[in-house]
């Protein structure tokens, strides 16, 4: 039985072990390693990957948002295990590139772990989970249009990463804080899109 990770550091450590052991690491490998019940890490991890240099590759933020949305939808309907279609499970990255990404995320992960505790655990289970899942799905919907603006998709992805961490460490206080950040992130994303459309209208 797999031990579910309880911090960003543990998640990154598991990934680094996979990177060291395999030439190529696919999503199926990560799913097998973390276990099917680890909804939090599978929400947090793609969002953290988007915050790394990988997120600057066109199309990658939208693909990562698709993975997060798939997991969040399963959380919303009360699934007990994470499921992903074969075409997503087969997607792979070289162990070398995965190690580089993990290394770049160590600082962010350590910061997030230092500010997370097991507070208000009731907000990370039961009916409250559905509110978190809906918030994550709404944030995922903002990623594709924001991808047209340089690194703007990192705003909702940061909110998603915090929510994923809150579920991983069962920190309801962080859930509340991240929901507030979600509102702010959505407003910021809408403002950036609106201004971008206005600029295109005047220059077009």
């Amino acid at each position: 039985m797999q031990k579910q990770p309880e911090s960003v550091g543990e998640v990154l450590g598991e990934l680094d072990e996979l990177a060291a052991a395999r030439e190529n690491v696919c999503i199926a490998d990560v799913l097998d390693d973390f276990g099917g019940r680890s909804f939090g890490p599978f929400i947090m991890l793609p969002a953290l990957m988007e915050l790394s240099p990988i997120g600057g590759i066109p199309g990658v933020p939208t693909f990562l948002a698709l993975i997060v949305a798939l997991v969040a939808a399963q959380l919303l309907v009360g699934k007990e295990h994470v499921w992903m279609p074969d075409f997503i499970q087969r997607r792979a990255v070289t162990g070398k590139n995965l190690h580089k990404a993990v290394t770049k995320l160590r600082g962010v992960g350590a910061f997030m772990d230092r500010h997370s505790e097991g507070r208000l655990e009731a907000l990370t289970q039961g009916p409250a989970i559905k509110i978190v899942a809906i918030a994550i799905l709404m944030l995922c919907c903002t990623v594709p249009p924001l991808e047209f603006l340089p690194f703007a998709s990192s705003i909702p992805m940061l909110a998603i990463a915090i929510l994923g961490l809150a579920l991983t460490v069962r920190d309801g206080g962080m859930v509340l804080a991240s929901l507030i950040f979600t509102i702010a992130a959505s407003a910021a994303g809408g403002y950036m899109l609106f201004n971008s459309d206005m600029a295109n209208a005047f220059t077009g």
Side-chain angles (χ1 to χ4, degrees), residues 9 42 50 62 66 83 89 95 103 112-113 123 128 138 156 167 186 201:
F42 276 100
E50 198 278 340
T62 295
L66 173 64
W83 171 86
Q89 292 197 44
T103 300
M112 294 175 75
D113 283 339
L123 294 179
M138 291 175 61
L167 295 177
S186 299

Side-chain angles (χ1 to χ4, degrees), residues 64-148:
L64 293 173
L66 173 64
I67 295 177
V68 173
L70 180 61
V71 176
Q74 294 174 61
L75 195 61
L76 179 62
V77 299
K79 292 288 187 180
E80 294 186 356
H81 296 83
V82 177
W83 171 86
M84 292 189 186
D86 288 341
F87 82 92
I88 290 182
Q89 292 197 44
R90 288 195 299 267
R91 295 298 292 264
V93 63
T94 65
K96 182 178 179 180
N97 286 340
L98 180 59
H99 172 71
K100 288 180 179 179
V102 168
T103 300
K104 290 182 181 296
L105 290 172
R106 288 286 188 185
V108 176
F111 176 83
M112 294 175 75
D113 283 339
R114 284 197 302 271
H115 293 82
S116 64
E117 300 176 26
R119 300 162 291 194
L120 303 174
E121 191 171 323
L123 294 179
T124 65
Q125 54 193 357
I129 285 288
K130 296 187 182 299
I131 296 175
V132 174
I134 291 171
I136 292 170
L137 287 169
M138 291 175 61
L139 286 166
C140 287
C141 290
T142 68
V143 171
L146 286 176
E147 193 175 341
F148 292 102

Side-chain angles (χ1 to χ4, degrees), residues 4 12 14 16 20 23 27 31 39 43 52 57 70 79 91 101 122 150 153-155 170 183 187-189:
Q4 294 189 40
L12 295 178
E14 289 285 335
D16 222 5
E23 183 176 350
I27 292 177
L31 189 62
F39 282 88
I43 288 171
S52 76
I57 302 173
L70 180 61
K79 292 288 187 180
R91 295 298 292 264
S153 59
S154 293
I155 297 174
R170 298 186 180 279
I183 296 172

